[in-house]
Amino acid sequence: EAPPTTGMISPLQMLREFDYGTVKQEQGRRIREFRITAGTGVLQLNSVVSFNTWNFNGRVPGPALRARSGDRVRVIFLNHGGHSHSLHFHGVHRAEMDGVRPVRNGNATIYEFDAEPFGVHLYHCHVAPVSRHISKGLYGLFIIDPLQDRPPADELVLIMAGYDLNNDQHNELYAFNGVPNYYMRYPIPIQQDQLVRLYLLNMIEFDVAATFHLHANLFQVYPTGRTLIPREETDVITMGTAERHILEFQYRFPGRYMFHPHQDAIAEAGCMGAFQVVS
Amino acid sequence: EAPPTTGMISPLQMLREFDYGTVKQEQGRRIREFRITAGTGVLQLNSVVSFNTWNFNGRVPGPALRARSGDRVRVIFLNHGGHSHSLHFHGVHRAEMDGVRPVRNGNATIYEFDAEPFGVHLYHCHVAPVSRHISKGLYGLFIIDPLQDRPPADELVLIMAGYDLNNDQHNELYAFNGVPNYYMRYPIPIQQDQLVRLYLLNMIEFDVAATFHLHANLFQVYPTGRTLIPREETDVITMGTAERHILEFQYRFPGRYMFHPHQDAIAEAGCMGAFQVVS
Amino acid sequence: EAPPTTGMISPLQMLREFDYGTVKQEQGRRIREFRITAGTGVLQLNSVVSFNTWNFNGRVPGPALRARSGDRVRVIFLNHGGHSHSLHFHGVHRAEMDGVRPVRNGNATIYEFDAEPFGVHLYHCHVAPVSRHISKGLYGLFIIDPLQDRPPADELVLIMAGYDLNNDQHNELYAFNGVPNYYMRYPIPIQQDQLVRLYLLNMIEFDVAATFHLHANLFQVYPTGRTLIPREETDVITMGTAERHILEFQYRFPGRYMFHPHQDAIAEAGCMGAFQVVS
Ligand SMILES: [Cu+2]
Ligand SMILES: [Cu+2]
Ligand SMILES: [Cu+2]
Ligand SMILES: [Cu+2]
Ligand SMILES: [Cu+2]
Ligand SMILES: [Cu+2]
Ligand code: NA
Ligand code: NA
Ligand code: NA
Ligand code: NA
Ligand code: NA
Ligand code: NA
Ligand SMILES: [Zn+2]
Ligand SMILES: [Zn+2]
Ligand SMILES: [Zn+2]
Ligand SMILES: [Zn+2]
Ligand SMILES: [Zn+2]
Ligand SMILES: [Zn+2]
Ligand SMILES: [Zn+2]
Ligand SMILES: [Zn+2]
Ligand SMILES: [Zn+2]
């Protein structure tokens, strides 16, 4: 059985896809240029529910932007989303580049700043009500690699989010990487004994926090990706909205292993997935 | 006044009770064997509310299973619970031993794995809807001691849980170790200046997190019991569902001291207790 | 435009105000004496909503009490609040000084204990229902400075709280330092490159946790103020009710920068503010 057509990029594609932008030299400085377009699109959440997303580059979540510490980052933002939107980045930058000013539909703007500090950051629309703009789909990861690369690993992106289908500020469905239960139907293949580096973000609005639990294993935690050595080992970690961490682990035995928030009602409403460990 | 008859094991008994199983030798290997039976039973939550539990070994929470790092653990599971149930353990094990497959009523199965790594883990039924199977009472601690024992201490088990009395995915009552307000009516006696080691688990479903607060004192935190030295000192710690830690403290002055989540509405709905420090 | 008259002390005043009490010598011991009176007062939350507070010393939050590690602290408590109230302090003290006994309206009592350990603590009324007494306004910070002062910094107090206007155990409004959106209308001036030391408390009832997010910057975290070196660097931190930390940061570029919980619905209901960084 093939993954369902969603009319948008599937979770399968976005799992290991990073957008490194385009690198140019200007006045002896390395510029990393990204292009983000806000738009709309219908995402099929399950066989009966379709959702009118607001999205970046035709996908929910948006692209996982990736730069090197110290790069000059330039983001060319076009708003074709039908409403005012913006790009607010986490990380360090000038007030003018903070992306809290709405960009009207049909307009464009450029955000430019130095990529710092290394770690796992995020970006999202910051137009009010932010909870609505985010939960409609306007968010993505922004990874800044340290000057010295982390050790080789199978690097994955997982973003937890919720869907408020009836605008009552409660989520009826949840997902990893946009589509509820996708990785339950299509478990993520990983190699036995292979180091997995997970860039994990909790982007669920309306529930104040969620945990991430990995079955039959423990993971090393690099909080906000701001360390090069792990700070904690566990199998359940609590993450408030917009928290994000690097988690590292490897599976010693082949087979199928679930992952999900241990708020089991959230898991059972779609925020559930599995790894298929192959030998 | 004697503790109320609940028809089940009381919180008083389960506070300092650990199930070490039965140790045997097989082919030169130490096997630690546990027997867990899923059943049903009525728990008197207060003078007017009785609750039809689903439980392990006739108690809510289930027994605090305890092994030594590296033991071969064998769990003989009988399901007499009237529904399909299972035993899902946290910790490291093969996919086949992950306990996500339902065991039908009247059937039995055996889970077997090496106890690793040392720390405070848990087990619970993993039959859908997991939130319901857990909140009906199907959970317990699984402690793996390090090869070298931790220092001598008065060791206690406390598990926070909620009761959704009307199946609306909100809890009306809460408890430490099964019975709301039990340790308020029967404060836990501890010795002045005695090191207390608390194995604490948050098993509350439907609320995404709860804190644990200790009055008039601070505690040392060993996250997930995965360290031998403490990582933090505080008197309020946030724990998402399924998070568990070792907390250590000692009281310097005699008297009565409360503990409870600092989400005071949760505390006042039954998740409240007290220590009686005696000199 | 001048800050609105609230009939009570404004958030502007309380931002950098610490109550060091009165120091006396008694039998060769240094006594730090505080006076706290519980009362009532109307707080104008916005142009249409006024709130009947229960408060300490005519303000919500109450004064940020501040002592030195090892001081003998004496708190003279007068209850003119119309209901029974009490003062429960976090930190270490004898059971008799724990402040869980209600002090009836019109009565007074004295709490006395040694200030220990250094860190960021809090105090609040502990009369049932505590969730109501706290959310009506009966809380404040209690800072114990280490024997050796922390490095010089611009020290600020921020307390997040919620308002349950219709007594349904859900908050309709939220605020930093009492008044919703106050620091959005009157951004907090700070100096460029100046070290800011934020004493931050989450006192929101009814929501189990909230994050604190700082725009365009990261902060160093000193958990519960119990360390002299930071333990983590991030820009989003999850805090359960009654959790409090020291956060340190400095802004390198001038301009206006928001801060708020990243539970954006909470932020947009009033828990939002901004720094104005001036060069
Ligand atoms: Cu937007
Ligand atoms: Cu953000
Ligand atoms: Cu079950
Ligand atoms: Cu679990
Ligand atoms: Cu009170
Ligand atoms: Cu408190
Ligand atoms: Na920058
Ligand atoms: Na909804
Ligand atoms: Na194992
Ligand atoms: Na309920
Ligand atoms: Na003291
Ligand atoms: Na309300
Ligand atoms: Zn809009
Ligand atoms: Zn598990
Ligand atoms: Zn699971
Ligand atoms: Zn069932
Ligand atoms: Zn307390
Ligand atoms: Zn209390
Ligand atoms: Zn009252
Ligand atoms: Zn931000
Ligand atoms: Zn913001």
Side-chain angles (χ1 to χ4, degrees):
Chain A
E1 187 190 359
T5 301
T6 63
M8 294 175 66
I9 295 170
S10 86
L12 184 66
Q13 287 170 262
M14 58 180 70
L15 186 66
R16 291 182 173 93
E17 192 179 287
F18 299 94
D19 181 347
Y20 290 92
T22 306
V23 177
K24 1 178 132 172
Q25 296 292 130
E26 288 185 12
Q27 291 137 352
R29 182 86 196 272
R30 188 166 68 168
I31 311 282
R32 194 176 290 275
E33 193 172 288
F34 299 97
R35 287 171 179 270
I36 303 283
T37 302
T40 57
V42 177
L43 188 61
Q44 198 68 32
L45 298 185
N46 58 39
S47 58
V48 295
V49 177
S50 61
F51 186 77
N52 295 312
T53 70
W54 298 349
N55 64 56
F56 293 133
N57 290 4
R59 38 177 290 171
V60 175
L65 307 182
R66 195 155 179 178
R68 173 81 63 190
S69 177
D71 284 352
R72 185 69 175 174
V73 168
R74 181 179 297 152
V75 185
I76 302 171
F77 176 56
L78 280 76
N79 183 6
H80 291 153
H83 298 82
S84 290
H85 293 305
S86 74
L87 285 183
H88 166 70
F89 281 80
H90 287 229
V92 175
H93 47 254
R94 294 175 170 275
E96 301 78 39
M97 295 301 161
D98 198 37
V100 295
R101 219 167 339 189
V103 177
R104 300 182 64 162
N105 182 45
N107 285 14
T109 198
I110 293 176
Y111 302 103
E112 199 171 311
F113 50 83
D114 295 336
E116 57 177 333
F118 78 79
V120 187
H121 306 299
L122 62 149
Y123 64 93
H124 56 84
C125 176
H126 206 291
V127 172
V130 175
S131 53
R132 178 163 163 77
H133 283 241
I134 286 178
S135 69
K136 291 290 280 181
L138 293 164
Y139 55 86
L141 273 181
F142 172 46
I143 298 167
I144 302 179
D145 289 310
L147 285 179
Q148 182 93 38
D149 274 334
R150 296 180 198 268
D154 182 9
E155 299 199 324
L156 306 178
V157 168
L158 287 176
I159 303 182
M160 302 189 277
Y163 291 106
D164 174 10
L165 301 176
N166 56 356
N167 291 320
D168 68 348
Q169 304 226 349
H170 290 89
N171 297 310
E172 283 73 41
L173 291 173
Y174 298 86
F176 282 102
N177 289 352
V179 179
N181 293 311
Y182 186 90
Y183 300 121
M184 284 301 283
R185 283 174 292 143
Y186 310 102
I188 299 168
I190 56 176
Q191 292 294 318
Q192 187 176 2
D193 294 324
Q194 164 72 50
L195 178 65
V196 174
R197 179 171 299 122
L198 180 55
Y199 295 94
L200 176 67
L201 166 65
N202 175 15
M203 205 68 255
I204 300 172
E205 292 279 6
F206 309 123
D207 302 283
V208 298
T211 53
F212 178 85
H213 168 51
L214 189 64
H215 271 230
N217 213 341
L218 285 86
F219 47 74
Q220 307 286 329
V221 183
Y222 300 75
T224 317
R226 285 291 302 128
T227 63
L228 300 176
I229 52 166
R231 287 296 166 87
E232 188 181 345
E233 191 192 35
T234 186
D235 66 7
V236 176
I237 187 167
T238 298
M239 302 172 73
T241 307
E243 275 195 295
R244 64 283 180 190
H245 302 301
I246 291 174
L247 308 186
E248 288 184 356
F249 56 88
Q250 44 206 127
Y251 274 96
R252 284 161 35 200
F253 309 113
R256 191 166 170 280
Y257 300 95
M258 296 173 69
F259 57 85
H260 56 82
H262 218 301
Q263 290 77 16
D264 296 291
I266 293 178
E268 287 163 350
C271 204
M272 195 148 42
F275 291 112
Q276 186 69 44
V277 177
V278 294
S279 57
Chain B
E1 186 190 0
T5 301
T6 63
M8 296 175 67
I9 296 169
S10 87
L12 185 66
Q13 287 171 262
M14 57 180 71
L15 186 65
R16 290 182 173 95
E17 192 179 286
F18 299 95
D19 181 347
Y20 290 94
T22 306
V23 176
K24 359 178 134 173
Q25 295 292 130
E26 289 184 11
Q27 290 140 352
R29 182 86 197 270
R30 188 165 68 167
I31 311 283
R32 194 175 290 276
E33 193 174 287
F34 299 97
R35 286 172 180 270
I36 303 282
T37 302
T40 59
V42 176
L43 189 62
Q44 198 67 33
L45 298 184
N46 57 40
S47 59
V48 294
V49 176
S50 61
F51 185 78
N52 295 311
T53 68
W54 299 349
N55 65 56
F56 292 133
N57 291 3
R59 38 179 288 171
V60 174
L65 308 182
R66 195 155 180 180
R68 173 82 62 191
S69 177
D71 284 352
R72 185 69 175 174
V73 169
R74 181 179 297 151
V75 185
I76 301 169
F77 176 55
L78 279 76
N79 182 6
H80 292 154
H83 298 81
S84 291
H85 293 306
S86 73
L87 285 183
H88 167 69
F89 281 81
H90 287 227
V92 174
H93 47 253
R94 295 177 170 274
E96 302 77 38
M97 296 301 161
D98 197 38
V100 295
R101 219 165 339 187
V103 176
R104 300 181 65 163
N105 182 44
N107 286 12
T109 198
I110 294 176
Y111 302 102
E112 199 172 309
F113 49 82
D114 295 335
E116 56 176 334
F118 78 79
V120 188
H121 305 299
L122 63 147
Y123 64 94
H124 56 83
C125 175
H126 205 291
V127 171
V130 175
S131 52
R132 177 162 164 77
H133 284 242
I134 285 179
S135 70
K136 291 290 278 180
L138 294 165
Y139 56 85
L141 273 181
F142 172 45
I143 299 167
I144 302 179
D145 289 309
L147 286 179
Q148 182 93 39
D149 272 335
R150 297 178 197 268
D154 182 10
E155 298 200 323
L156 306 178
V157 168
L158 286 176
I159 303 182
M160 303 190 275
Y163 290 106
D164 173 10
L165 301 176
N166 56 356
N167 292 320
D168 68 348
Q169 306 226 348
H170 291 89
N171 297 309
E172 283 73 40
L173 290 173
Y174 298 85
F176 281 103
N177 290 352
V179 179
N181 293 311
Y182 186 91
Y183 300 120
M184 284 302 282
R185 284 174 291 142
Y186 311 101
I188 298 168
I190 57 176
Q191 292 294 319
Q192 186 176 3
D193 295 324
Q194 164 70 53
L195 178 65
V196 175
R197 180 171 299 124
L198 180 55
Y199 295 94
L200 176 67
L201 166 64
N202 175 14
M203 205 68 256
I204 300 172
E205 291 279 6
F206 309 125
D207 302 282
V208 298
T211 53
F212 177 85
H213 168 51
L214 189 65
H215 271 231
N217 213 339
L218 285 86
F219 46 75
Q220 306 286 332
V221 183
Y222 301 75
T224 316
R226 286 291 301 130
T227 64
L228 301 176
I229 52 167
R231 287 297 167 86
E232 188 180 345
E233 191 192 35
T234 187
D235 66 6
V236 176
I237 186 167
T238 298
M239 300 169 76
T241 308
E243 275 195 294
R244 64 284 180 189
H245 301 301
I246 291 173
L247 308 186
E248 287 185 354
F249 55 88
Q250 45 206 125
Y251 274 95
R252 283 161 36 199
F253 310 112
R256 190 165 170 282
Y257 300 94
M258 297 172 69
F259 57 86
H260 56 81
H262 219 300
Q263 288 77 17
D264 296 290
I266 293 177
E268 287 162 350
C271 203
M272 196 148 43
F275 292 110
Q276 186 68 44
V277 178
V278 295
S279 59
Chain C
E1 187 189 359
T5 300
T6 64
M8 296 175 67
I9 295 168
S10 87
L12 185 66
Q13 287 171 263
M14 58 179 71
L15 186 66
R16 290 182 174 93
E17 192 179 285
F18 299 94
D19 181 346
Y20 291 92
T22 307
V23 176
K24 1 178 132 172
Q25 296 291 131
E26 288 185 13
Q27 291 138 351
R29 181 87 197 269
R30 187 166 67 168
I31 311 282
R32 194 175 289 275
E33 193 174 286
F34 299 97
R35 288 172 179 271
I36 303 283
T37 302
T40 58
V42 176
L43 188 61
Q44 199 67 31
L45 298 185
N46 57 40
S47 58
V48 294
V49 177
S50 62
F51 185 78
N52 295 312
T53 69
W54 299 349
N55 64 56
F56 293 132
N57 290 3
R59 39 178 288 171
V60 174
L65 308 181
R66 195 155 179 179
R68 174 81 62 192
S69 178
D71 284 352
R72 185 70 174 172
V73 169
R74 181 179 298 152
V75 185
I76 301 169
F77 176 57
L78 280 75
N79 182 6
H80 291 153
H83 298 82
S84 291
H85 293 305
S86 74
L87 284 183
H88 166 69
F89 282 80
H90 287 227
V92 174
H93 47 252
R94 293 177 172 274
E96 302 76 41
M97 296 302 161
D98 197 37
V100 294
R101 219 165 341 189
V103 177
R104 300 182 64 161
N105 182 43
N107 286 13
T109 197
I110 295 176
Y111 303 102
E112 200 172 310
F113 49 83
D114 294 336
E116 57 176 333
F118 77 80
V120 188
H121 305 298
L122 63 148
Y123 64 95
H124 56 84
C125 176
H126 205 291
V127 172
V130 176
S131 53
R132 178 162 162 79
H133 284 241
I134 286 179
S135 69
K136 290 290 280 180
L138 294 165
Y139 56 85
L141 273 181
F142 172 44
I143 299 167
I144 302 179
D145 288 310
L147 285 179
Q148 182 93 39
D149 274 336
R150 297 178 197 268
D154 183 9
E155 297 199 325
L156 306 178
V157 169
L158 286 176
I159 303 182
M160 303 191 276
Y163 291 106
D164 173 10
L165 302 176
N166 56 357
N167 292 319
D168 68 349
Q169 306 226 347
H170 291 90
N171 297 310
E172 283 74 40
L173 290 173
Y174 298 86
F176 283 102
N177 290 350
V179 179
N181 292 312
Y182 186 91
Y183 300 120
M184 284 301 284
R185 283 173 294 141
Y186 311 102
I188 299 168
I190 57 176
Q191 292 294 319
Q192 186 176 3
D193 294 324
Q194 165 69 53
L195 178 66
V196 175
R197 179 172 299 123
L198 181 54
Y199 295 94
L200 177 66
L201 166 64
N202 175 15
M203 205 68 256
I204 300 172
E205 291 279 6
F206 309 123
D207 302 283
V208 298
T211 52
F212 178 85
H213 169 50
L214 189 65
H215 270 230
N217 214 339
L218 285 86
F219 47 74
Q220 306 286 330
V221 183
Y222 300 75
T224 316
R226 286 291 302 127
T227 63
L228 300 176
I229 52 166
R231 288 297 166 88
E232 189 181 345
E233 190 191 37
T234 186
D235 66 7
V236 176
I237 186 167
T238 299
M239 301 171 74
T241 308
E243 275 195 294
R244 63 284 182 191
H245 302 301
I246 292 173
L247 308 186
E248 287 184 355
F249 55 88
Q250 45 206 124
Y251 274 95
R252 285 161 35 199
F253 311 112
R256 191 165 170 280
Y257 300 94
M258 297 173 68
F259 56 86
H260 56 81
H262 218 301
Q263 288 77 16
D264 296 291
I266 293 178
E268 287 163 351
C271 203
M272 197 148 42
F275 291 110
Q276 186 68 44
V277 178
V278 296
S279 58

